[in-house]
Amino acid sequence: MAGLGNNVGNSFNLRSRMDGTLTAAGQNLSVWYYTDSLMGAGSGFQGDRDLPSAHIEVIEGQTVTINFINASWMPHTIHLHGLDVDQANDGVGVTSSVINPGGSFLYTFQAPHAGTYHYHCHEDTVLHYARGMYGTIIVRPPSGSVSEAWAGGPTFDEEVLWQLSTMDPAWDSFQHSAPNGTARFKPEVFLINGKETADAMTDVYSRVVVAAGGKAYLRVLNAAYQWARVSLGGLPFDVVASDGRPLQTAYTTGVLELGPGERYDLLIQ
């Protein structure tokens, strides 16, 4: 299942880190991210890269806790993007709380409808988001199945998560957003799961591999500051869910466009 479905639970420990690295566009860029402390320090998505941050898988209807420890030298939060939570657990600093360096906070919420969701830092969001402080939350159906999209929904043989993002190398030295700096974003780095094209094509966590006649489920998150266009070399696919909810009527297409922060679930045969 391309590494998904291996860490389903209801209790997680996330730490913020600002010591990550990424080599892209011929440069060494610094990365800020969240690591799952159960996977060891320095591990973001799938434990083998700093960008994107660690992803989380929970079960619909269960109470979920995220123990967030700010292990960095800058204030951060965890905003649960797209999940219906109360204000205290929403992770927007001006309306809930900001976690200062060395501090911690226990986010608590009930997992909503099975689907694809998002989390990111909401402190100086313009900069922190672009530097890599984002990840994906997958809500599994009440049965806990990792081969069914939601209760009574599509089933599949293979599951892959694509987290699309961009980076502007000029922002690599910024420590805070400001009109004379972050007013302009000129992306030169285009990533799938933190990998540029050549590496993404061979990345075990990004490739979509399924036997003839089988079905693959592709979850796509656009964590970039511009629209993204997804196509599969002319292969048609069914768009079955958007932003964590099933579509009333799924539709078949060969091209999908996503705005910043949007998530779509695709069924491929």
Side-chain angles (χ1 to χ4, degrees):
M1 303 293 285
L4 301 180
N6 295 331
N7 60 340
V8 181
N10 58 9
S11 181
F12 300 88
N13 295 280
L14 291 183
R15 293 175 179 265
S16 58
R17 300 184 63 91
M18 301 175 68
D19 57 356
T21 57
L22 172 73
T23 300
Q27 305 176 57
N28 292 322
L29 304 175
S30 62
V31 172
W32 303 349
Y33 65 109
Y34 300 94
T35 180
D36 184 338
S37 60
L38 298 180
M39 298 173 66
S43 56
F45 180 58
Q46 300 295 11
D48 70 346
R49 67 200 69 183
D50 298 333
L51 182 78
S53 298
H55 84 288
I56 291 173
E57 300 184 38
V58 302
I59 297 176
E60 178 182 337
Q62 291 194 2
T63 298
V64 180
T65 59
I66 300 175
N67 182 31
F68 171 51
I69 300 171
N70 188 352
S72 74
W73 47 267
M74 186 179 288
H76 297 295
T77 71
I78 292 179
H79 171 56
L80 301 167
H81 184 114
L83 289 89
D84 296 325
V85 302
D86 60 22
Q87 184 169 294
N89 290 280
D90 192 40
V92 177
V94 295
T95 56
S96 53
S97 58
V98 174
I99 315 306
N100 290 314
S104 64
F105 186 83
L106 188 67
Y107 292 94
T108 304
F109 62 95
Q110 187 175 39
H113 191 282
T116 308
Y117 299 86
H118 187 27
Y119 76 89
H120 60 83
C121 182
H122 216 299
E123 177 69 8
D124 196 0
T125 317
V126 169
L127 181 60
H128 293 203
Y129 191 70
R131 294 291 296 269
M133 302 198 75
Y134 64 85
T136 299
I137 297 177
I138 297 174
V139 179
R140 301 293 182 183
S143 66
S145 172
V146 295
S147 59
E148 182 181 42
W150 59 84
T155 58
F156 41 86
D157 306 292
E158 172 72 352
E159 180 184 32
V160 178
L161 170 62
W162 280 2
Q163 298 163 101
L164 314 178
S165 62
T166 58
M167 298 185 77
D168 181 348
W171 285 33
D172 194 57
S173 61
F174 294 166
Q175 301 301 311
H176 56 82
S177 58
N180 62 346
T182 51
R184 296 288 183 270
F185 185 80
K186 299 178 180 179
E188 296 180 20
V189 178
F190 301 85
L191 306 169
I192 298 178
N193 291 335
K195 304 285 187 179
E196 289 187 291
T197 301
D199 291 332
M201 290 179 69
T202 59
D203 178 29
V204 66
Y205 300 122
S206 302
R207 293 180 299 169
V208 182
V209 180
V210 65
K215 293 182 179 179
Y217 200 73
L218 178 59
R219 301 176 186 268
V220 186
L221 158 68
N222 183 13
Y225 283 158
Q226 64 184 49
W227 283 78
R229 180 178 294 117
V230 172
S231 61
L232 303 176
L235 182 70
F237 50 84
D238 295 332
V239 182
V240 299
S242 170
D243 292 342
R245 293 294 189 273
L247 296 179
Q248 274 193 321
T249 304
Y251 63 93
T252 302
T253 184
V255 179
L256 175 70
E257 293 190 342
L258 306 84
E262 282 194 311
R263 292 91 58 210
Y264 282 91
D265 294 3
L266 316 180
L267 188 64
I268 308 163
Q269 182 163 340

